[in-house]
Structures are given as structure tokens and as C-alpha cells.
Amino acid sequence: MAIRLSRTFILRKLHQLSGIVPLGAFLLEHFYTNSKAMTGAGDFNKAVAELQSIPYILFIEIGAIFIPLIYHAVYGLVITIEARPNNLNYPYPRNWFYLIQRLTGVILFFFILFHVLNFRFGLIPNLNISVAHAPDQAFDIVAREFRLIPIAIIYVIGITATVWHFANGLWLFMVDWGIAIGARAQRLTGYACIAFGVLLLAVALNAMIAFIRPGGLLGGILY
Ligand code: HEM
């Protein structure tokens, strides 16, 4: 017997899947590359140059990052507009997480737009130069940006919102795709996602600090 899947169901599943692969996977790769700043400008610039020298990089970026990102972002905003929060009547943690997933999605929309226009395309007026187009200056460009307090604040908020959205999204995905079944499994998976989120946030913020203080917070201990 053929099973007919509704259009909304397929769009919803694609939205969930795109949050994990490719977007979540890309996020991990991105934090890994950023963490190269811990061992100095040379290592970070080399990592940026290597990424930019990948054959067909523009097509890979468009197909594996920009298109899934635009799909996930636009459909995510549609889901958010349709949401009817009822947190004051039902103040359960899961209900707050539902609301925060949508709020962080909206923050991410503006943050990623700003971030991509700024570092990838150099289109934010104060910068005028793109990291991707000048890998040999990549570290200095980022370091100059992070020394501006308003920009640093935007990045701390944006990175925190991204990590929350991804860690909670991972949990939502595991529950929705039948990977964490049953109350106990969902509770334990929830703790694991919180631990993962805290660790990922520490790595991401430490990479950011490494552009201003050599080695990041762990400079002098690890290096
Ligand atoms: C750019 C703006 C973004 C918006 C507006 C947005 C919006 C949303 C919304 C509303 C949900 C909840 C869907 C639901 O509960 O059914 C969601 C889920 C999710 N998002 Fe995003 N998102 C964005 C970016 C990202 C990025 C960059 C990542 C990856 C790091 C990501 C990863 C996820 C994951 C893993 C889920 C959970 C999927 C699931 O429910 O199974 N999102 N997003």
C-alpha cells in the first residue's frame, strides 16, 4: 500500500534535517576553523586559505550552505509566525524551550545576515574587505572587528543564540525522528544536549577571545 505524505510533513522534515546536516555539521566545522586562531594568525590564515582553495568552493558554498540556510531560515520564520505561544498559561520548561527556539531563530536570521555580509562579502561599511578575499589578512580583519565593543557584543549574543538553537535543535531532532523514545531517554538526551551546548559555547567564545588575547583564555596553559 502506498503511503501519501502531506506537503507540510515533507517540508517540515526537510527543515528539521537541514538544521542538522548540512547546517549543524557546518557550524562544527566553522568553530573548528575559528579555533585555529588559538595557535596564532599564521595558522588561522592558512586554514582560511585552504578552505578558499577547495575546488568548486563557490558551488559547494551555494549548494551545501547558502541554499539549505535560506530554506531553513525562511521556513523557520514561517513556522515562527504561525506559532501561538501560551507560556504564561503553561510555564513548563519544554514550552519555554519551544519559545526560545523561535526567538533564537529570529536572532540568528539577522545575525547570520550581518555576519555573512560582513566577513564573507566585506559589505558592512566599516570593513570594506572580505576575509574570504584576503586570507593573508584574515586574522587581522577579524581581530580589528572584535576590538569594537558593539561588534563584540553582537557576536557574543549571536554565538550564544546559535549554540542554544543548535543544542536544543539536536534534542528536538532526536525526539522527533524517534531516536530518543520514552521519558527517561528524552530526559537523559536532554542533559547530554545541555552539556554539549555548554562545551560548544566555551569552544566558540574561546575562539573569539583568541583573536584578541593570544591563545584565548587557555593561552599560556595549553600553548
Ligand atoms: C537563520 C535563521 C534560522 C531560523 C529563522 C531558524 C528557525 C528555526 C525554527 C523556528 C525551528 C523550530 C522548528 C520546530 O520546532 O518545528 C528550528 C529548528 C532547528 N534549527 Fe533552525 N533556524 C535558523 C538557523 C539555524 C542554523 C544556522 C542551524 C544550525 C546551526 C539551525 C539548526 C536547527 C535545528 C537542528 C533545529 C531542530 C530541528 C527539529 O525540530 O527537529 N537553525 N529552526
Side-chain angles (χ1 to χ4, degrees):
M1 190 184 74
I3 299 174
R4 276 181 65 87
L5 301 174
S6 79
R7 205 166 67 106
T8 314
F9 179 84
I10 295 171
L11 290 177
R12 202 70 189 228
K13 287 291 156 197
L14 278 177
H15 181 256
Q16 297 171 340
L17 194 61
S18 62
I20 304 288
V21 219
L23 297 181
F26 169 72
L27 184 71
L28 296 182
E29 184 284 317
H30 198 35
F31 287 167
Y32 169 77
T33 306
N34 293 349
S35 298
K36 296 256 177 182
M38 289 172 71
T39 49
D43 283 345
F44 179 72
N45 292 353
K46 198 166 140 237
V48 174
E50 275 166 10
L51 283 178
Q52 288 307 315
S53 70
I54 293 174
Y56 308 112
I57 180 67
L58 187 64
F59 299 107
I60 296 173
E61 277 184 325
I62 293 173
I65 304 172
F66 289 146
I67 292 176
L69 181 60
I70 291 169
Y71 173 71
H72 187 95
V74 172
Y75 197 65
L77 289 182
V78 172
I79 294 174
T80 303
I81 290 165
E82 287 172 353
R84 296 282 168 268
N86 54 8
N87 298 69
L88 296 180
N89 293 334
Y90 304 97
Y92 307 118
R94 270 196 197 186
N95 207 8
W96 284 112
F97 284 17
Y98 170 94
L99 182 64
I100 298 173
Q101 189 70 3
R102 279 145 187 80
L103 286 178
T104 50
V106 175
I107 295 174
L108 255 78
F109 184 85
F110 292 106
F111 172 64
I112 295 177
L113 192 66
F114 169 79
H115 175 58
V116 172
L117 289 179
N118 192 23
F119 283 151
R120 178 65 185 78
F121 295 109
L123 289 177
I124 301 288
N126 81 331
L127 203 56
N128 280 330
I129 183 161
S130 130
V131 171
H133 292 149
D136 55 322
Q137 301 172 47
F139 186 97
D140 292 338
I141 295 172
V142 178
R144 192 155 31 104
E145 285 291 277
F146 286 173
R147 285 206 173 85
L148 303 171
I149 301 294
I151 302 270
I153 292 172
I154 290 176
Y155 271 88
V156 170
I157 294 172
I159 289 170
T160 309
T162 307
V163 171
W164 175 291
H165 191 89
F166 181 46
N168 186 49
L170 208 55
W171 185 83
L172 286 174
F173 181 86
M174 288 195 276
V175 170
D176 214 83
W177 286 59
I179 298 166
I181 305 171
R184 191 178 128 84
Q186 292 182 358
R187 202 179 57 245
L188 294 180
T189 318
Y191 294 140
C193 286
I194 291 172
F196 172 69
V198 170
L199 197 71
L200 198 62
L201 185 61
V203 167
L205 293 179
N206 193 48
M208 197 183 154
I209 293 168
F211 284 93
I212 294 164
R213 181 184 189 274
L217 277 184
L218 301 177
I221 300 171
L222 287 184
Y223 299 102

